[in-house]
């Protein structure tokens, strides 16, 4: 999944998302005040109406340049095409161009489908800059093309010409780096050209010498004065003297408007006039050279690769190590927020790194691992349920499921030694009873009986390990080992309480069967507490949960001990090993040490009579056997 995502990223399919994240960070960061070194003379819709024409005549532009020169600006940038005459006033405008070396005019390089526009005639090349703006695939301006080369000529941009004129007057000359001639050292800045894969870019045309445009603010970025206000009003000389003055249209009807990263959040003007975009570019170059705002730098492809893969690894690690759904539910948004915060922190320090791609890597790897774990958990659950069946209480089932990683190894429950209480039950004279019923009736009758036994075992937190025809083998204290004597005593108590509850339910069943002309039955129960080994038995084709050990054998022998010695409908025999845990709760009758089939040692046997009476308790109260001892 991560490899697929990286492939999509390097193909540029995620570039729109990265550019959207870039725009959002541009909008979120603090904005700067208007650049005090710049002034924009903006031609507004009102100005066009005052002069009642567009384009404005050469005479109006000549008057504007003449008046501006008296204010002694450092340099004037005319962002208006003047390649043809706009009479009246062409001679006056040409005179202004010839008598002033601090006026920068524009031309357009054009595109493959569009022919370029030349600069005004007879203007020296050092006073001409192209005003072409680079549009990203979504038509947003995020880059500044500083140089453009042909086979025999290098063209300077309009903004670069203005910045050069301003900084050369301060003795700050650009030069090529001795280490890499493609790097320009200028003042305190090192200009490194954009490549097609810088930052969140992957597919841009990186021809020419481009830098990432660092906008100053979403507004003007410089003081703006309307044309008529400047021509016919009184402007303080301090507003213009030693400043960079840009002249251009800001009127919507001129259609010199462009989308910027601020456009999606703009309430009024969605687009920024071209002259203001150039002002932003000039301001960025000045700040970079003077050391006030660093230029953006970018990580190498390997750095971005490690950045993206690291977040993918974080997502996979969180999903793999966290079993609690709340940790993943809360952890994922937190870590995505952390990623966005780190990216924004780096952005504030002029580092543009991929943001949405590592975020997707985090989510995809996390989702993949969660999906894999869900599949794995389903398989584990199938294994656990196949081994232990459905005959467990909800509490045990939950405990088993929470401990599945520890219990399961290679699809099996490894053998584990633990202390448990084993219960065997059997119907007395079942062969005689079964002969009195047709097979289908016998099956229905037996299932009703075994269902009661199963309910009683589950209620007392045991599991049915197997059905032995007319009886069951149940265990209390598996498969999770008990760590304290109190827990072992609790299992023994539950086993004996379960047997007494079965006796009560059997009485009710016998009454019900009597009305249905079914035979009444009696049963035997054997209970023993001791060490066993519990784990998977069988192979890949068939597994079952097995309980092995002498304790299992003793419980089975207690159930079948002296079968004819039975005074009630449910005879419950236990050994001393169980009695020591439950003596305070139950009345017993000692049968003394007795031999059991297959054993050489004698076993001290006791018959459980019932619950012990308390001073406030009457006789025959068996109902307390349905719960746990507190």
């Amino acid at each position: 999944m991560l490899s697929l995502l990286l492939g999509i990223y390097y193909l540029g399919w995620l570039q729109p998302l990265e550019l959207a994240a870039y725009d959002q960070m541009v909008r979120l960061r603090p904005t700067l005040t208007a650049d005090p070194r710049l002034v924009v003379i903006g031609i507004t819709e009102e100005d066009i109406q005052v002069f009642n024409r567009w384009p404005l005549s050469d005479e109006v532009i000549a008057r504007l340049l003449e008046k501006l020169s008296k204010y002694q600006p450092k340099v004037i940038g005319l962002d208006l095409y003047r390649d043809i005459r706009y009479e009246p006033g062409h001679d006056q405008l040409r005179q202004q161009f010839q008598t002033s070396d601090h006026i920068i005019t524009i031309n357009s390089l054009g595109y493959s489908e569009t022919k370029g526009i030349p600069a005004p005639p007879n203007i020296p090349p050092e006073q001409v800059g192209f005003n072409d703006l680079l549009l990203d695939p979504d038509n947003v301006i995020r880059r500044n093309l500083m140089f453009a080369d042909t086979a025999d000529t290098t063209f300077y941009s309009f903004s670069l010409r203005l910045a050069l004129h301003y900084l050369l007057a301060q003795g700050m000359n650009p030069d090529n780096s001795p280490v890499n001639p493609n790097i320009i050292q200028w003042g305190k800045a090192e200009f490194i050209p954009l490549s097609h894969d810088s930052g969140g870019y992957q597919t841009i045309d990186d021809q020419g010498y481009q830098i990432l445009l660092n906008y100053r603010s979403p507004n003007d970025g410089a003081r703006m004065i309307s044309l008529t206000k400047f021509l016919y009003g009184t402007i303080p000389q301090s507003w213009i003297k030693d400043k960079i003055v840009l002249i251009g249209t800001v009127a919507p009807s001129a259609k010199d408007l462009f989308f910027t990263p601020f456009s999606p959040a703009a309430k009024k003007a969605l687009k920024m006039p071209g002259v203001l975009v150039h002002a932003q570019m000039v301001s960025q170059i000045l700040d970079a050279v003077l050391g006030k705002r660093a230029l953006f730098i970018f990580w190498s492809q390997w750095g971005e690769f490690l950045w993206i893969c690291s977040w993918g690894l974080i997502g996979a690690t969180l999903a793999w190590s966290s079993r609690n759904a709340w940790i993943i539910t809360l952890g994922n948004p937190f870590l995505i927020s952390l990623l966005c915060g780190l990216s924004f922190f780096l952005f504030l320090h002029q580092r543009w790194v991929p943001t949405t791609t590592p975020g997707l890597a985090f989510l995809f790897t996390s989702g993949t691992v969660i999906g894999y774990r869900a599949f794995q958990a389903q398989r584990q659950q199938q294994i656990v349920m196949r081994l232990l069946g459905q005959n467990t209480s909800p509490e045990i089932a939950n405990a088993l499921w929470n401990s599945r990683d520890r219990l399961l190894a290679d699809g099996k429950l490894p053998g584990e030694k633990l202390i448990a209480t084993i219960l065997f039950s059997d119907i007395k004279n079942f062969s005689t009873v079964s002969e009195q019923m047709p097979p289908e009736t016998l099956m229905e009758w037996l299932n009703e009986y075994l269902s009661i036994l199963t309910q009683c075992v589950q209620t007392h937190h045991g599991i049915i390990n197997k059905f032995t025809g007319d009886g069951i083998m149940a265990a209390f204290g598996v498969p999770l080992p008990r760590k304290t004597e109190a827990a072992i005593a609790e299992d023994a108590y539950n086993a004996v309480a379960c047997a007494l509850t079965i006796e009560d339910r059997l009485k009710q069943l016998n009454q019900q069967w009597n009305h249905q002309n079914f035979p009444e039955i009696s049963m035997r129960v054997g209970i023993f507490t001791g060490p066993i080994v519990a784990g998977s038995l069988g192979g890949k084709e068939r597994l079952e949960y097995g309980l092995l050990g002498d304790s299992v054998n003793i419980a089975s022998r207690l159930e079948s001990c002296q079968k004819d010695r039975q005074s009630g409908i449910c005879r419950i025999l236990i050994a001393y090993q169980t009695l020591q845990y439950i003596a305070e709760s139950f009345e017993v009758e000692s049968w003394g040490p007795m031999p059991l089939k297959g054993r050489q040692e004698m076993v001290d046997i006791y018959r459980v009579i019932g619950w012990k009476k308390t001073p406030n308790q009457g006789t025959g109260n068996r109902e307390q056997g349905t719960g746990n001892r507190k």
Side-chain angles (χ1 to χ4, degrees):
M1 180 62 73
L2 186 57
S3 299
L4 177 62
L5 180 69
L6 287 169
I8 293 174
Y9 172 68
Y10 289 124
L11 287 173
W13 295 355
L14 297 179
Q15 180 174 283
L17 296 178
E18 292 295 348
L19 294 181
Y22 169 85
D23 292 349
Q24 183 63 42
M25 290 189 288
V26 169
R27 294 192 293 269
L28 287 175
R29 69 179 178 180
T31 59
L32 301 176
T33 58
D35 193 326
R37 299 162 299 196
L38 274 66
V39 176
V40 174
I41 305 296
I43 302 172
T44 65
E45 293 288 357
E46 292 76 11
D47 295 331
I48 295 174
Q49 292 173 6
V50 167
F51 294 102
N52 197 29
R53 65 176 293 176
W54 181 257
L56 299 178
S57 68
D58 289 345
E59 186 269 337
V60 173
I61 303 302
R63 278 200 292 139
L64 173 61
L65 294 176
E66 181 182 7
K67 185 173 181 178
L68 272 173
S69 297
K70 297 177 181 178
Y71 281 79
Q72 301 177 342
K74 187 74 69 176
V75 60
I76 300 172
L78 183 62
D79 187 26
L80 297 171
Y81 293 117
R82 291 287 131 170
D83 56 313
I84 59 176
R85 294 170 178 262
Y86 292 102
E87 297 288 2
H90 180 70
D91 291 338
Q92 294 96 310
L93 179 60
R94 186 175 61 178
Q95 184 178 3
Q96 287 295 322
F97 289 155
Q98 292 174 348
T99 58
S100 176
D101 62 354
H102 62 274
I103 298 175
I104 306 298
T105 60
I106 61 169
N107 66 350
S108 173
L109 300 180
Y111 303 94
S112 57
E113 305 85 2
T114 306
K115 186 178 180 181
I117 301 174
N122 303 319
I123 299 294
E126 62 270 14
Q127 290 182 238
V128 178
F130 63 83
N131 73 336
D132 302 77
L133 297 174
L134 294 178
L135 298 179
D136 280 345
D138 55 357
N139 294 321
V140 176
I141 295 179
R142 301 183 183 91
R143 293 172 287 151
N144 177 10
L145 178 62
M146 297 175 63
F147 299 100
D149 296 317
T150 62
D152 54 359
T153 307
T154 297
F155 297 95
Y156 287 58
S157 71
F158 180 55
S159 58
L160 179 59
R161 284 292 188 194
L162 292 171
L164 267 172
H165 197 100
Y166 184 88
L167 293 169
L168 286 175
Q170 302 181 31
M172 307 185 75
N173 301 314
D175 199 2
N176 294 103
S177 169
V179 178
N180 184 350
N182 206 32
I183 296 176
I184 298 175
Q185 292 180 336
W186 194 0
K188 297 182 179 180
E190 214 174 45
F191 289 79
I192 302 174
L194 278 175
S195 62
H196 71 278
D197 56 2
S198 295
Y201 286 121
Q202 289 298 325
T203 60
I204 59 167
D205 181 356
D206 59 358
Q207 296 185 40
Y209 201 102
Q210 307 174 24
I211 63 172
L212 192 66
L213 175 53
N214 192 358
Y215 283 88
R216 188 178 188 90
S217 71
N219 301 313
D220 302 337
R223 184 195 300 276
M224 193 172 77
I225 307 169
S226 71
L227 174 63
T228 52
K229 181 178 180 181
F230 181 79
L231 284 177
Y232 303 118
T234 302
I235 303 299
Q237 186 170 4
S238 60
W239 286 15
I240 306 296
K241 186 176 180 180
D242 294 330
K243 307 291 195 234
I244 299 174
V245 179
L246 292 90
I247 303 169
T249 176
V250 295
S253 62
K255 298 182 180 179
D256 185 30
L257 302 171
F258 301 90
F259 288 111
T260 71
F262 302 105
S263 296
K267 295 182 179 179
K268 294 182 179 179
L270 295 179
K271 296 183 178 181
M272 183 178 289
V275 66
L276 298 182
V277 175
H278 290 298
Q280 300 272 4
M281 293 176 173
V282 175
S283 178
Q284 178 188 8
I285 295 174
L286 297 182
D287 281 346
V289 174
L290 297 173
K292 294 183 178 180
R293 277 193 297 163
L295 295 168
F296 274 97
I297 60 176
F298 312 96
W299 288 347
S300 65
Q301 284 279 45
W302 273 109
E304 292 182 357
F305 175 83
L306 293 175
W307 170 253
I308 295 169
C309 291
S310 295
W311 283 101
L313 182 62
I314 290 172
T317 302
L318 175 67
W320 184 262
S321 60
S322 302
R323 188 173 301 281
N324 192 320
W326 279 107
I327 295 178
I328 297 177
T329 302
L330 298 178
N332 281 1
F334 171 78
L335 288 172
I336 289 295
S337 299
L338 179 62
L339 165 63
C340 295
L342 287 174
S343 297
F344 187 56
F345 174 80
L346 292 171
F347 188 80
L348 292 177
H349 291 79
Q350 316 307 316
R351 306 288 194 280
W352 182 25
V353 300
T355 303
T356 58
T357 304
L360 291 174
F362 176 91
L363 294 175
F364 284 175
T365 55
S366 176
T368 300
V369 171
I370 290 173
Y372 171 76
R373 290 197 63 177
F375 172 74
Q376 185 186 51
Q378 185 179 25
R379 290 185 67 250
Q380 289 178 332
Q381 188 176 32
Q382 291 172 351
I383 293 170
V384 170
M385 296 313 297
R386 187 169 72 246
L387 291 173
L388 300 177
Q390 303 294 327
N391 304 313
T392 60
S393 68
E395 293 82 358
I396 291 179
N398 185 60
L400 288 171
W401 190 238
N402 290 335
S403 304
R404 62 186 181 275
D405 288 341
R406 181 173 59 83
L407 291 173
L408 285 172
D410 299 324
K412 297 181 179 180
L413 289 170
E416 185 173 17
K417 187 174 181 180
L418 41 80
I419 304 297
T421 298
I422 308 299
L423 180 151
F424 276 86
S425 76
D426 193 38
I427 296 176
K428 183 179 180 181
N429 297 325
F430 177 70
S431 297
T432 303
V433 174
S434 63
E435 292 174 356
Q436 302 176 24
M437 301 182 192
E440 60 275 11
T441 304
L442 175 66
M443 181 69 70
E444 181 179 352
W445 172 81
L446 189 58
N447 281 335
E448 183 178 11
Y449 164 74
L450 294 176
S451 176
I452 294 298
L453 267 60
T454 300
Q455 292 174 12
C456 292
V457 171
Q458 290 182 356
T459 301
H460 290 84
H461 311 297
I463 67 170
I464 302 291
N465 182 245
K466 63 179 66 175
F467 292 99
T468 59
D470 60 325
I472 61 171
M473 173 184 170
F476 299 80
V478 297
L480 302 178
R482 302 312 195 228
K483 300 183 182 301
T484 65
E485 287 293 309
I488 297 172
E490 189 75 22
D491 293 329
Y493 174 89
N494 284 334
V496 176
C498 175
L500 291 174
T501 303
I502 290 173
E503 181 180 359
D504 288 339
R505 297 296 299 276
L506 184 58
K507 289 180 180 179
Q508 299 172 10
L509 274 177
N510 277 334
Q511 293 176 5
Q512 175 184 330
W513 287 338
N514 186 38
H515 291 92
Q516 297 173 347
N517 295 320
F518 287 148
E520 296 184 8
I521 63 171
S522 58
M523 61 183 295
R524 298 182 300 271
V525 175
I527 298 173
F528 187 82
T529 302
I532 64 169
V533 176
S536 300
L537 292 176
K540 292 183 179 179
E541 292 74 18
R542 187 177 188 279
L543 284 174
E544 68 176 33
Y545 186 60
L547 304 178
L548 304 176
D550 196 39
S551 300
V552 177
N553 297 329
I554 294 175
S556 176
R557 298 293 184 264
L558 286 171
E559 176 272 314
S560 59
C561 175
Q562 296 192 15
K563 293 183 177 181
D564 296 330
R565 187 176 175 181
Q566 182 159 344
S567 57
I569 65 169
C570 184
R571 189 196 72 182
I572 305 170
L573 295 184
I574 64 175
Y576 174 77
Q577 286 82 347
T578 300
L579 177 67
Q580 62 180 335
Y581 292 111
I582 56 95
E584 296 180 357
S585 301
F586 301 97
E587 289 187 9
V588 297
E589 171 188 85
S590 176
W591 282 18
M594 300 181 64
L596 294 179
K597 183 179 179 181
R599 290 185 58 82
Q600 296 181 356
E601 296 181 2
M602 305 288 280
V603 176
D604 194 5
I605 300 176
Y606 298 84
R607 182 176 73 90
V608 177
I609 299 174
W611 299 90
K612 276 192 174 180
K613 301 174 184 177
T614 63
N616 297 324
Q617 180 183 327
T619 61
N621 184 5
R622 293 281 184 87
E623 292 302 319
Q624 60 179 299
T626 61
N628 284 342
R629 179 177 55 186
K630 301 299 182 184

